[in-house]
Amino acid sequence: MSDVAPGPGPTPDTGPAPDTDPATGTAPDTGSEPGLRAGLEAILLVVDEPVAEITLAQVLDRPVAEVSQVIRELSAEYTGAGRGFDLREVAGGWRFYTRAECAPLVERFVRDGQQTRLTQAALETLAVVAYRQPVSRARVAAIRGVNSDGVMRTLVTRGLVEEAGTEPESQAVLYRTSSYFLERMGLRELDELPELAPFLPDDMESLEEQKQ
């Protein structure tokens, strides 16, 4: 009989360790911020105006050169894939735009959407713009007590509200009602809007001051 003790058998393959991603074998990134590509897409998806590369770099805490490279890669990727949107550099910044070939579909959607009734939030926002114009989105939000950015975009898309320059101090975009608004309301001018005072609480002035 041999005096050599048998060595340990082969270690069974139990797969990746529990703290690794089975697909890649690497530890999942669960506690960190999103990657640069995801961060750029998330920010550019919600902006109303082109955003400069240096601004994006500051927000994402990345070098401007790296942001510039990745954002151009994203733009080329969207174009190559034939997406329904473009990522374009316009007026010194970047923003998503509908692809030109899809414009007729978007116009049809917007035109048909104008036939639908406005939501309560849209009616409230439109009323604030009509009686306080020109007014910024921040001012509208302060009066309504809720963020109104999405509703404002809807009103602009439907042609009821339009940009009216910027505030001298903050450079915030100001909004006013459009001629289409007057047409839909059956008014010749804004002076024909009904008096708002009878519908407001007596302490409206103090309430607005508290929100400022």
Side-chain angles (χ1 to χ4, degrees):
M1 174 179 291
S2 171
D3 294 332
V4 179
T11 302
D13 184 5
T14 58
D19 59 347
T20 61
D21 186 336
T24 63
T26 60
D29 186 10
T30 57
S32 61
E33 293 185 355
L36 179 55
R37 291 167 63 93
L40 286 169
E41 290 176 327
I43 293 173
L44 293 170
L45 190 64
V46 299
V47 300
D48 291 325
E49 300 174 352
V51 183
E53 293 174 4
I54 187 172
T55 301
L56 293 169
Q58 291 171 346
V59 172
L60 296 168
D61 195 21
R62 296 293 188 92
V64 177
E66 183 180 4
V67 169
S68 177
Q69 177 184 344
V70 172
I71 202 168
R72 283 171 170 76
E73 290 175 354
L74 287 172
S75 179
E77 179 180 315
Y78 300 144
T79 300
R83 299 289 183 86
F85 54 86
D86 285 320
L87 181 54
R88 304 179 200 162
E89 186 176 15
V90 178
W94 291 84
R95 183 186 175 191
F96 282 118
Y97 291 88
T98 302
R99 188 172 297 280
E101 299 91 305
C102 299
L105 298 177
V106 175
E107 291 174 1
R108 187 189 311 165
F109 172 79
V110 173
R111 185 171 58 250
D112 292 346
Q114 290 177 350
Q115 305 305 316
T116 61
R117 299 185 62 179
L118 293 175
T119 63
Q120 182 64 33
L123 289 172
E124 291 176 2
T125 302
L126 185 58
V128 173
V129 175
Y131 284 95
R132 297 295 187 186
Q133 60 185 307
V135 63
S136 66
R137 286 181 298 174
R139 180 62 173 158
V140 173
I143 294 175
R144 293 190 62 227
V146 64
N147 186 291
S148 303
D149 290 359
V151 180
M152 189 72 79
R153 284 194 292 270
T154 298
L155 295 174
V156 171
T157 299
R158 295 195 178 187
L160 295 168
V161 170
E162 62 188 11
E163 294 186 5
T166 58
E167 287 184 340
E169 297 181 0
S170 66
Q171 295 301 306
V173 177
L174 297 174
Y175 294 88
R176 65 189 177 197
T177 53
S178 64
S179 57
Y180 179 68
F181 166 80
L182 294 175
E183 176 185 339
R184 298 293 293 177
M185 293 291 293
L187 305 174
R188 290 175 297 178
E189 52 189 19
L190 291 173
D191 291 342
E192 295 183 359
L193 283 170
E195 289 292 332
L196 190 60
F199 303 99
L200 297 178
D202 295 336
D203 59 347
M204 186 63 187
E205 292 294 334
S206 61
L207 288 175
E208 287 198 22
E209 291 177 359
Q210 294 174 12
K211 292 180 179 180
Q212 293 181 5

mmCIF file of all heavy atoms in Angstrom, residues 161-200:
data_model
loop_
_atom_site.group_PDB
_atom_site.id
_atom_site.type_symbol
_atom_site.label_atom_id
_atom_site.label_comp_id
_atom_site.label_asym_id
_atom_site.label_seq_id
_atom_site.Cartn_x
_atom_site.Cartn_y
_atom_site.Cartn_z
ATOM 1 N N VAL A 161 -48.344 79.590 -25.010
ATOM 2 C CA VAL A 161 -47.368 80.399 -24.280
ATOM 3 C C VAL A 161 -46.091 80.489 -25.103
ATOM 4 O O VAL A 161 -45.741 79.550 -25.820
ATOM 5 C CB VAL A 161 -47.071 79.768 -22.891
ATOM 6 C CG1 VAL A 161 -45.891 80.441 -22.216
ATOM 7 C CG2 VAL A 161 -48.310 79.855 -22.002
ATOM 8 N N GLU A 162 -45.401 81.618 -25.006
ATOM 9 C CA GLU A 162 -44.167 81.816 -25.750
ATOM 10 C C GLU A 162 -43.146 82.552 -24.899
ATOM 11 O O GLU A 162 -43.497 83.180 -23.891
ATOM 12 C CB GLU A 162 -44.436 82.608 -27.031
ATOM 13 C CG GLU A 162 -44.986 84.005 -26.771
ATOM 14 C CD GLU A 162 -45.424 84.715 -28.052
ATOM 15 O OE1 GLU A 162 -45.499 84.048 -29.092
ATOM 16 O OE2 GLU A 162 -45.684 85.932 -27.972
ATOM 17 N N GLU A 163 -41.881 82.459 -25.300
ATOM 18 C CA GLU A 163 -40.819 83.150 -24.572
ATOM 19 C C GLU A 163 -40.911 84.652 -24.804
ATOM 20 O O GLU A 163 -41.300 85.101 -25.886
ATOM 21 C CB GLU A 163 -39.451 82.627 -25.005
ATOM 22 C CG GLU A 163 -39.212 81.170 -24.615
ATOM 23 C CD GLU A 163 -37.795 80.726 -24.927
ATOM 24 O OE1 GLU A 163 -36.975 81.573 -25.360
ATOM 25 O OE2 GLU A 163 -37.496 79.531 -24.750
ATOM 26 N N ALA A 164 -40.528 85.411 -23.767
ATOM 27 C CA ALA A 164 -40.624 86.875 -23.851
ATOM 28 C C ALA A 164 -39.368 87.516 -23.272
ATOM 29 O O ALA A 164 -39.445 88.403 -22.433
ATOM 30 C CB ALA A 164 -41.871 87.358 -23.117
ATOM 31 N N GLY A 165 -38.198 87.043 -23.685
ATOM 32 C CA GLY A 165 -36.944 87.611 -23.223
ATOM 33 C C GLY A 165 -36.493 86.999 -21.908
ATOM 34 O O GLY A 165 -36.945 85.917 -21.509
ATOM 35 N N THR A 166 -35.600 87.708 -21.207
ATOM 36 C CA THR A 166 -35.051 87.214 -19.949
ATOM 37 C C THR A 166 -35.058 88.312 -18.893
ATOM 38 O O THR A 166 -35.103 89.494 -19.217
ATOM 39 C CB THR A 166 -33.603 86.726 -20.131
ATOM 40 O OG1 THR A 166 -32.804 87.812 -20.635
ATOM 41 C CG2 THR A 166 -33.544 85.557 -21.098
ATOM 42 N N GLU A 167 -35.017 87.892 -17.629
ATOM 43 C CA GLU A 167 -34.920 88.844 -16.537
ATOM 44 C C GLU A 167 -33.517 89.444 -16.511
ATOM 45 O O GLU A 167 -32.529 88.724 -16.658
ATOM 46 C CB GLU A 167 -35.202 88.149 -15.202
ATOM 47 C CG GLU A 167 -36.656 87.801 -14.986
ATOM 48 C CD GLU A 167 -36.891 87.207 -13.600
ATOM 49 O OE1 GLU A 167 -35.907 86.735 -13.005
ATOM 50 O OE2 GLU A 167 -38.038 87.200 -13.139
ATOM 51 N N PRO A 168 -33.388 90.751 -16.337
ATOM 52 C CA PRO A 168 -32.066 91.398 -16.358
ATOM 53 C C PRO A 168 -31.113 90.849 -15.306
ATOM 54 O O PRO A 168 -29.929 90.677 -15.569
ATOM 55 C CB PRO A 168 -32.397 92.875 -16.087
ATOM 56 C CG PRO A 168 -33.823 93.040 -16.511
ATOM 57 C CD PRO A 168 -34.479 91.728 -16.181
ATOM 58 N N GLU A 169 -31.609 90.557 -14.105
ATOM 59 C CA GLU A 169 -30.733 90.133 -13.023
ATOM 60 C C GLU A 169 -30.393 88.656 -13.084
ATOM 61 O O GLU A 169 -29.233 88.267 -13.091
ATOM 62 C CB GLU A 169 -31.379 90.469 -11.676
ATOM 63 C CG GLU A 169 -31.571 91.970 -11.452
ATOM 64 C CD GLU A 169 -32.191 92.263 -10.099
ATOM 65 O OE1 GLU A 169 -32.462 91.285 -9.354
ATOM 66 O OE2 GLU A 169 -32.395 93.445 -9.783
ATOM 67 N N SER A 170 -31.397 87.793 -13.132
ATOM 68 C CA SER A 170 -31.166 86.345 -13.073
ATOM 69 C C SER A 170 -30.965 85.698 -14.435
ATOM 70 O O SER A 170 -30.517 84.559 -14.519
ATOM 71 C CB SER A 170 -32.354 85.665 -12.389
ATOM 72 O OG SER A 170 -33.525 85.805 -13.182
ATOM 73 N N GLN A 171 -31.322 86.407 -15.511
ATOM 74 C CA GLN A 171 -31.259 85.868 -16.871
ATOM 75 C C GLN A 171 -32.224 84.693 -17.079
ATOM 76 O O GLN A 171 -32.079 83.929 -18.035
ATOM 77 C CB GLN A 171 -29.832 85.422 -17.222
ATOM 78 C CG GLN A 171 -28.820 86.565 -17.268
ATOM 79 C CD GLN A 171 -29.212 87.631 -18.293
ATOM 80 O OE1 GLN A 171 -29.440 87.329 -19.462
ATOM 81 N NE2 GLN A 171 -29.304 88.870 -17.841
ATOM 82 N N ALA A 172 -33.179 84.560 -16.175
ATOM 83 C CA ALA A 172 -34.189 83.513 -16.330
ATOM 84 C C ALA A 172 -35.106 83.849 -17.504
ATOM 85 O O ALA A 172 -35.440 85.015 -17.731
ATOM 86 C CB ALA A 172 -35.009 83.381 -15.051
ATOM 87 N N VAL A 173 -35.513 82.835 -18.235
ATOM 88 C CA VAL A 173 -36.403 83.035 -19.384
ATOM 89 C C VAL A 173 -37.787 83.437 -18.891
ATOM 90 O O VAL A 173 -38.321 82.857 -17.942
ATOM 91 C CB VAL A 173 -36.509 81.747 -20.221
ATOM 92 C CG1 VAL A 173 -37.501 81.929 -21.367
ATOM 93 C CG2 VAL A 173 -35.139 81.351 -20.765
ATOM 94 N N LEU A 174 -38.349 84.466 -19.527
ATOM 95 C CA LEU A 174 -39.691 84.933 -19.187
ATOM 96 C C LEU A 174 -40.694 84.416 -20.217
ATOM 97 O O LEU A 174 -40.338 84.182 -21.378
ATOM 98 C CB LEU A 174 -39.725 86.466 -19.166
ATOM 99 C CG LEU A 174 -38.841 87.144 -18.119
ATOM 100 C CD1 LEU A 174 -38.862 88.655 -18.321
ATOM 101 C CD2 LEU A 174 -39.297 86.777 -16.715
ATOM 102 N N TYR A 175 -41.925 84.239 -19.778
ATOM 103 C CA TYR A 175 -42.966 83.714 -20.660
ATOM 104 C C TYR A 175 -44.193 84.625 -20.648
ATOM 105 O O TYR A 175 -44.480 85.296 -19.659
ATOM 106 C CB TYR A 175 -43.376 82.303 -20.215
ATOM 107 C CG TYR A 175 -42.273 81.288 -20.368
ATOM 108 C CD1 TYR A 175 -41.362 81.083 -19.336
ATOM 109 C CD2 TYR A 175 -42.136 80.560 -21.537
ATOM 110 C CE1 TYR A 175 -40.335 80.159 -19.472
ATOM 111 C CE2 TYR A 175 -41.113 79.633 -21.674
ATOM 112 C CZ TYR A 175 -40.218 79.434 -20.641
ATOM 113 O OH TYR A 175 -39.193 78.525 -20.778
ATOM 114 N N ARG A 176 -44.900 84.605 -21.779
ATOM 115 C CA ARG A 176 -46.137 85.368 -21.917
ATOM 116 C C ARG A 176 -47.102 84.542 -22.765
ATOM 117 O O ARG A 176 -46.703 83.570 -23.437
ATOM 118 C CB ARG A 176 -45.868 86.700 -22.611
ATOM 119 C CG ARG A 176 -45.398 86.544 -24.057
ATOM 120 C CD ARG A 176 -44.941 87.857 -24.643
ATOM 121 N NE ARG A 176 -44.424 87.663 -26.006
ATOM 122 C CZ ARG A 176 -43.670 88.555 -26.636
ATOM 123 N NH1 ARG A 176 -43.360 89.697 -26.046
ATOM 124 N NH2 ARG A 176 -43.238 88.300 -27.862
ATOM 125 N N THR A 177 -48.359 84.917 -22.748
ATOM 126 C CA THR A 177 -49.323 84.242 -23.607
ATOM 127 C C THR A 177 -49.140 84.708 -25.049
ATOM 128 O O THR A 177 -48.638 85.799 -25.307
ATOM 129 C CB THR A 177 -50.752 84.538 -23.139
ATOM 130 O OG1 THR A 177 -50.933 85.958 -23.031
ATOM 131 C CG2 THR A 177 -51.030 83.888 -21.807
ATOM 132 N N SER A 178 -49.553 83.876 -25.975
ATOM 133 C CA SER A 178 -49.360 84.147 -27.400
ATOM 134 C C SER A 178 -50.636 84.690 -28.039
ATOM 135 O O SER A 178 -51.699 84.740 -27.412
ATOM 136 C CB SER A 178 -48.947 82.851 -28.107
ATOM 137 O OG SER A 178 -50.008 81.908 -28.026
ATOM 138 N N SER A 179 -50.502 85.060 -29.295
ATOM 139 C CA SER A 179 -51.678 85.506 -30.040
ATOM 140 C C SER A 179 -52.659 84.346 -30.229
ATOM 141 O O SER A 179 -53.876 84.551 -30.296
ATOM 142 C CB SER A 179 -51.263 86.068 -31.404
ATOM 143 O OG SER A 179 -50.533 85.103 -32.142
ATOM 144 N N TYR A 180 -52.118 83.120 -30.279
ATOM 145 C CA TYR A 180 -52.981 81.945 -30.405
ATOM 146 C C TYR A 180 -53.842 81.783 -29.142
ATOM 147 O O TYR A 180 -55.003 81.353 -29.216
ATOM 148 C CB TYR A 180 -52.140 80.692 -30.627
ATOM 149 C CG TYR A 180 -52.929 79.414 -30.745
ATOM 150 C CD1 TYR A 180 -53.757 79.179 -31.837
ATOM 151 C CD2 TYR A 180 -52.866 78.436 -29.753
ATOM 152 C CE1 TYR A 180 -54.495 78.005 -31.941
ATOM 153 C CE2 TYR A 180 -53.590 77.269 -29.854
ATOM 154 C CZ TYR A 180 -54.405 77.063 -30.955
ATOM 155 O OH TYR A 180 -55.131 75.897 -31.047
ATOM 156 N N PHE A 181 -53.282 82.143 -27.994
ATOM 157 C CA PHE A 181 -54.040 82.110 -26.744
ATOM 158 C C PHE A 181 -55.244 83.046 -26.840
ATOM 159 O O PHE A 181 -56.362 82.685 -26.468
ATOM 160 C CB PHE A 181 -53.127 82.520 -25.582
ATOM 161 C CG PHE A 181 -53.858 82.852 -24.307
ATOM 162 C CD1 PHE A 181 -54.311 81.846 -23.463
ATOM 163 C CD2 PHE A 181 -54.088 84.180 -23.949
ATOM 164 C CE1 PHE A 181 -54.983 82.163 -22.282
ATOM 165 C CE2 PHE A 181 -54.753 84.494 -22.775
ATOM 166 C CZ PHE A 181 -55.210 83.494 -21.944
ATOM 167 N N LEU A 182 -55.007 84.279 -27.339
ATOM 168 C CA LEU A 182 -56.111 85.228 -27.487
ATOM 169 C C LEU A 182 -57.172 84.680 -28.441
ATOM 170 O O LEU A 182 -58.381 84.812 -28.206
ATOM 171 C CB LEU A 182 -55.584 86.560 -28.004
ATOM 172 C CG LEU A 182 -54.658 87.348 -27.067
ATOM 173 C CD1 LEU A 182 -54.139 88.589 -27.781
ATOM 174 C CD2 LEU A 182 -55.379 87.723 -25.780
ATOM 175 N N GLU A 183 -56.683 84.047 -29.510
ATOM 176 C CA GLU A 183 -57.603 83.487 -30.504
ATOM 177 C C GLU A 183 -58.478 82.411 -29.876
ATOM 178 O O GLU A 183 -59.705 82.382 -30.078
ATOM 179 C CB GLU A 183 -56.804 82.909 -31.667
ATOM 180 C CG GLU A 183 -57.649 82.220 -32.721
ATOM 181 C CD GLU A 183 -56.804 81.560 -33.787
ATOM 182 O OE1 GLU A 183 -55.629 81.955 -33.950
ATOM 183 O OE2 GLU A 183 -57.300 80.629 -34.443
ATOM 184 N N ARG A 184 -57.840 81.510 -29.099
ATOM 185 C CA ARG A 184 -58.589 80.426 -28.487
ATOM 186 C C ARG A 184 -59.545 80.925 -27.402
ATOM 187 O O ARG A 184 -60.603 80.342 -27.190
ATOM 188 C CB ARG A 184 -57.616 79.397 -27.885
ATOM 189 C CG ARG A 184 -56.707 78.719 -28.892
ATOM 190 C CD ARG A 184 -57.477 77.830 -29.838
ATOM 191 N NE ARG A 184 -58.064 76.681 -29.161
ATOM 192 C CZ ARG A 184 -58.832 75.775 -29.736
ATOM 193 N NH1 ARG A 184 -59.139 75.890 -31.023
ATOM 194 N NH2 ARG A 184 -59.306 74.754 -29.058
ATOM 195 N N MET A 185 -59.179 82.019 -26.755
ATOM 196 C CA MET A 185 -60.016 82.576 -25.699
ATOM 197 C C MET A 185 -61.069 83.523 -26.250
ATOM 198 O O MET A 185 -61.963 83.960 -25.518
ATOM 199 C CB MET A 185 -59.144 83.333 -24.688
ATOM 200 C CG MET A 185 -58.205 82.449 -23.882
ATOM 201 S SD MET A 185 -59.079 81.381 -22.714
ATOM 202 C CE MET A 185 -59.723 82.594 -21.565
ATOM 203 N N GLY A 186 -60.970 83.860 -27.528
ATOM 204 C CA GLY A 186 -61.931 84.780 -28.124
ATOM 205 C C GLY A 186 -61.733 86.212 -27.675
ATOM 206 O O GLY A 186 -62.709 86.969 -27.559
ATOM 207 N N LEU A 187 -60.487 86.589 -27.433
ATOM 208 C CA LEU A 187 -60.173 87.939 -26.950
ATOM 209 C C LEU A 187 -59.423 88.721 -28.025
ATOM 210 O O LEU A 187 -58.668 88.154 -28.814
ATOM 211 C CB LEU A 187 -59.306 87.867 -25.685
ATOM 212 C CG LEU A 187 -59.856 87.049 -24.509
ATOM 213 C CD1 LEU A 187 -58.813 86.963 -23.403
ATOM 214 C CD2 LEU A 187 -61.149 87.658 -23.989
ATOM 215 N N ARG A 188 -59.619 90.029 -28.028
ATOM 216 C CA ARG A 188 -58.855 90.880 -28.937
ATOM 217 C C ARG A 188 -57.538 91.304 -28.316
ATOM 218 O O ARG A 188 -56.541 91.491 -29.008
ATOM 219 C CB ARG A 188 -59.679 92.107 -29.320
ATOM 220 C CG ARG A 188 -60.882 91.799 -30.225
ATOM 221 C CD ARG A 188 -61.712 93.039 -30.451
ATOM 222 N NE ARG A 188 -62.292 93.519 -29.177
ATOM 223 C CZ ARG A 188 -63.036 94.618 -29.072
ATOM 224 N NH1 ARG A 188 -63.278 95.356 -30.147
ATOM 225 N NH2 ARG A 188 -63.525 94.977 -27.903
ATOM 226 N N GLU A 189 -57.527 91.470 -26.995
ATOM 227 C CA GLU A 189 -56.317 91.861 -26.278
ATOM 228 C C GLU A 189 -56.422 91.395 -24.830
ATOM 229 O O GLU A 189 -57.498 91.023 -24.346
ATOM 230 C CB GLU A 189 -56.126 93.374 -26.327
ATOM 231 C CG GLU A 189 -57.331 94.158 -25.878
ATOM 232 C CD GLU A 189 -57.180 95.644 -26.138
ATOM 233 O OE1 GLU A 189 -56.338 96.027 -26.958
ATOM 234 O OE2 GLU A 189 -57.901 96.423 -25.493
ATOM 235 N N LEU A 190 -55.305 91.437 -24.112
ATOM 236 C CA LEU A 190 -55.264 90.926 -22.749
ATOM 237 C C LEU A 190 -56.133 91.733 -21.797
ATOM 238 O O LEU A 190 -56.577 91.223 -20.763
ATOM 239 C CB LEU A 190 -53.816 90.896 -22.242
ATOM 240 C CG LEU A 190 -52.911 89.870 -22.921
ATOM 241 C CD1 LEU A 190 -51.474 90.060 -22.463
ATOM 242 C CD2 LEU A 190 -53.379 88.446 -22.620
ATOM 243 N N ASP A 191 -56.381 93.001 -22.124
ATOM 244 C CA ASP A 191 -57.213 93.831 -21.262
ATOM 245 C C ASP A 191 -58.629 93.287 -21.124
ATOM 246 O O ASP A 191 -59.366 93.667 -20.202
ATOM 247 C CB ASP A 191 -57.269 95.268 -21.789
ATOM 248 C CG ASP A 191 -55.933 95.985 -21.648
ATOM 249 O OD1 ASP A 191 -55.093 95.513 -20.848
ATOM 250 O OD2 ASP A 191 -55.718 96.998 -22.344
ATOM 251 N N GLU A 192 -59.008 92.393 -22.041
ATOM 252 C CA GLU A 192 -60.354 91.833 -21.993
ATOM 253 C C GLU A 192 -60.451 90.621 -21.068
ATOM 254 O O GLU A 192 -61.539 90.063 -20.898
ATOM 255 C CB GLU A 192 -60.804 91.442 -23.406
ATOM 256 C CG GLU A 192 -60.965 92.633 -24.346
ATOM 257 C CD GLU A 192 -61.480 92.222 -25.709
ATOM 258 O OE1 GLU A 192 -61.688 91.008 -25.927
ATOM 259 O OE2 GLU A 192 -61.677 93.107 -26.553
ATOM 260 N N LEU A 193 -59.330 90.221 -20.477
ATOM 261 C CA LEU A 193 -59.391 89.133 -19.502
ATOM 262 C C LEU A 193 -60.266 89.563 -18.327
ATOM 263 O O LEU A 193 -60.234 90.710 -17.908
ATOM 264 C CB LEU A 193 -57.987 88.792 -18.992
ATOM 265 C CG LEU A 193 -57.090 87.962 -19.915
ATOM 266 C CD1 LEU A 193 -55.669 87.922 -19.365
ATOM 267 C CD2 LEU A 193 -57.647 86.549 -20.072
ATOM 268 N N PRO A 194 -61.045 88.658 -17.763
ATOM 269 C CA PRO A 194 -61.905 89.034 -16.628
ATOM 270 C C PRO A 194 -61.062 89.412 -15.420
ATOM 271 O O PRO A 194 -59.929 88.955 -15.253
ATOM 272 C CB PRO A 194 -62.720 87.760 -16.377
ATOM 273 C CG PRO A 194 -61.902 86.653 -16.956
ATOM 274 C CD PRO A 194 -61.212 87.241 -18.154
ATOM 275 N N GLU A 195 -61.619 90.258 -14.580
ATOM 276 C CA GLU A 195 -60.921 90.663 -13.361
ATOM 277 C C GLU A 195 -60.672 89.448 -12.486
ATOM 278 O O GLU A 195 -61.566 88.618 -12.278
ATOM 279 C CB GLU A 195 -61.751 91.690 -12.594
ATOM 280 C CG GLU A 195 -61.811 93.049 -13.263
ATOM 281 C CD GLU A 195 -60.459 93.748 -13.255
ATOM 282 O OE1 GLU A 195 -59.655 93.476 -12.336
ATOM 283 O OE2 GLU A 195 -60.208 94.554 -14.162
ATOM 284 N N LEU A 196 -59.444 89.340 -11.989
ATOM 285 C CA LEU A 196 -59.078 88.183 -11.180
ATOM 286 C C LEU A 196 -59.374 88.396 -9.698
ATOM 287 O O LEU A 196 -59.612 87.443 -8.956
ATOM 288 C CB LEU A 196 -57.579 87.888 -11.359
ATOM 289 C CG LEU A 196 -57.043 86.587 -10.775
ATOM 290 C CD1 LEU A 196 -57.763 85.392 -11.398
ATOM 291 C CD2 LEU A 196 -55.541 86.482 -11.003
ATOM 292 N N ALA A 197 -59.398 89.628 -9.251
ATOM 293 C CA ALA A 197 -59.545 89.929 -7.832
ATOM 294 C C ALA A 197 -60.748 89.247 -7.163
ATOM 295 O O ALA A 197 -60.619 88.727 -6.051
ATOM 296 C CB ALA A 197 -59.608 91.441 -7.632
ATOM 297 N N PRO A 198 -61.920 89.226 -7.787
ATOM 298 C CA PRO A 198 -63.071 88.618 -7.102
ATOM 299 C C PRO A 198 -62.886 87.135 -6.792
ATOM 300 O O PRO A 198 -63.596 86.602 -5.935
ATOM 301 C CB PRO A 198 -64.221 88.826 -8.113
ATOM 302 C CG PRO A 198 -63.790 90.001 -8.932
ATOM 303 C CD PRO A 198 -62.300 89.858 -9.052
ATOM 304 N N PHE A 199 -61.937 86.466 -7.482
ATOM 305 C CA PHE A 199 -61.761 85.030 -7.287
ATOM 306 C C PHE A 199 -60.603 84.707 -6.345
ATOM 307 O O PHE A 199 -60.316 83.538 -6.097
ATOM 308 C CB PHE A 199 -61.506 84.351 -8.639
ATOM 309 C CG PHE A 199 -62.599 84.596 -9.633
ATOM 310 C CD1 PHE A 199 -62.467 85.573 -10.611
ATOM 311 C CD2 PHE A 199 -63.767 83.854 -9.603
ATOM 312 C CE1 PHE A 199 -63.467 85.809 -11.537
ATOM 313 C CE2 PHE A 199 -64.775 84.076 -10.511
ATOM 314 C CZ PHE A 199 -64.636 85.063 -11.479
ATOM 315 N N LEU A 200 -59.917 85.733 -5.833
ATOM 316 C CA LEU A 200 -58.752 85.524 -4.974
ATOM 317 C C LEU A 200 -59.113 85.737 -3.516
ATOM 318 O O LEU A 200 -59.991 86.540 -3.190
ATOM 319 C CB LEU A 200 -57.619 86.494 -5.365
ATOM 320 C CG LEU A 200 -57.055 86.344 -6.765
ATOM 321 C CD1 LEU A 200 -55.988 87.408 -7.012
ATOM 322 C CD2 LEU A 200 -56.460 84.961 -6.968
#
